[in-house]
Amino acid sequence: VKAYDSKINFPHINLKNLFFESRDLSLIEDREQYDFIYSIDVLEHIPQNLKIIEKLYNALKPNGYFYLHMPSKFEKWILPNKLFLNFRKTLRDNHIGEHYSLNELEQILSGMNFNIVYACYTFGKIGKLAQEIDILFSKNNFLKFIRLLLMPFLKIMGIIEVMITQTTGCNYLIICKKYR
């Protein structure tokens, strides 16, 4: 297992089959090396992220799987926007990569010779509300204490969210398989 991050200097961990590396995904030139690649909430931080997806496609072995989770370009907030002004500015400053709808990205991946195995929305109304509550109670130490008390409730909301098929959502998950 290889884990890449562009900004983290990983500690030296001596495990037989686990390797951590600071690496820029745009510089990856691996060819048919991996059985499974996953990217969770990463590509929205990278401009021209379709080039990264192409590199990840090339790095997959034939019949390898790609697991992708990222925010949709259609993010909806449940609670009033004014409660999240600083958080939303941080998102705008950090989410500098292209965003897509679920349908757009399914078409793009299919055009790259990926077979879509599973695609769904995540962070529907219940999940998004849990996320917003979590964000609101992360602002200072007093609120963080309340957040700690709310955590079991937020986790239950997350479990309920996963059990319900989402027809819309702020994020999406796609699992696809490389043709060949």
Side-chain angles (χ1 to χ4, degrees), residues 152-164:
F153 175 69
L154 298 177
K155 295 292 183 188
I156 290 169
M157 289 175 74
I159 291 168
I160 292 168
E161 168 84 12
V162 171
M163 296 171 75
I164 300 170

Side-chain angles (χ1 to χ4, degrees), residues 9-33:
N9 289 320
F10 293 101
H12 179 69
I13 298 174
N14 193 12
L15 296 173
K16 186 177 178 181
N17 293 321
L18 180 61
F19 305 94
F20 296 93
E21 190 176 325
S22 292
R23 194 163 183 195
D24 183 336
L25 291 178
S26 67
L27 301 177
I28 289 179
E29 297 299 332
D30 299 338
R31 296 278 186 239
E32 297 186 354
Q33 190 170 352

Side-chain angles (χ1 to χ4, degrees):
V1 175
K2 287 186 182 178
Y4 295 133
D5 194 292
S6 64
K7 295 180 183 173
I8 295 175
N9 289 320
F10 293 101
H12 179 69
I13 298 174
N14 193 12
L15 296 173
K16 186 177 178 181
N17 293 321
L18 180 61
F19 305 94
F20 296 93
E21 190 176 325
S22 292
R23 194 163 183 195
D24 183 336
L25 291 178
S26 67
L27 301 177
I28 289 179
E29 297 299 332
D30 299 338
R31 296 278 186 239
E32 297 186 354
Q33 190 170 352
Y34 305 107
D35 297 308
F36 181 75
I37 295 175
Y38 76 91
S39 172
I40 300 174
D41 298 343
V42 172
L43 294 178
E44 67 273 11
H45 298 276
I46 304 172
Q48 299 179 334
N49 50 31
L50 291 181
K51 290 180 181 180
I52 303 301
I53 293 174
E54 288 175 20
K55 288 182 175 283
L56 297 176
Y57 177 87
N58 292 333
L60 278 172
K61 290 179 181 177
N63 297 312
Y65 287 88
F66 180 41
Y67 179 109
L68 173 63
H69 186 272
M70 70 184 293
S72 172
K73 68 180 184 181
F74 304 115
E75 185 167 24
K76 296 176 185 167
W77 293 79
I78 296 171
L79 299 175
N81 286 339
K82 66 182 178 182
L83 298 173
F84 303 100
L85 294 177
N86 290 336
F87 184 81
R88 292 181 72 175
K89 181 186 181 321
T90 300
L91 285 182
R92 280 191 306 277
D93 292 346
N94 289 294
H95 288 192
I96 57 174
E98 292 76 19
H99 288 70
Y100 313 93
S101 70
L102 177 59
N103 187 40
E104 287 171 338
L105 198 52
E106 284 181 284
Q107 290 178 12
I108 290 167
L109 292 169
S110 294
M112 291 181 177
N113 286 326
F114 275 113
N115 178 34
I116 307 299
V117 175
Y118 180 75
C120 70
Y121 288 100
T122 63
F123 286 85
K125 289 180 182 172
I126 296 170
K128 184 64 176 167
L129 181 59
Q131 179 193 36
E132 290 180 18
I133 292 168
D134 184 58
I135 293 166
L136 284 176
F137 287 92
S138 299
K139 294 181 179 182
N140 63 50
N141 286 338
F142 175 73
L143 292 175
K144 286 179 184 177
F145 175 73
I146 295 172
R147 177 183 179 223
L148 185 63
L149 297 174
L150 289 172
M151 197 54 62
F153 175 69
L154 298 177
K155 295 292 183 188
I156 290 169
M157 289 175 74
I159 291 168
I160 292 168
E161 168 84 12
V162 171
M163 296 171 75
I164 300 170
T165 301
Q166 303 299 322
T167 56
T168 63
C170 296
N171 296 33
Y172 47 77
L173 163 67
I174 300 175
I175 300 172
C176 48
K177 185 176 182 180
K178 180 178 181 177
Y179 278 126
R180 274 204 249 170

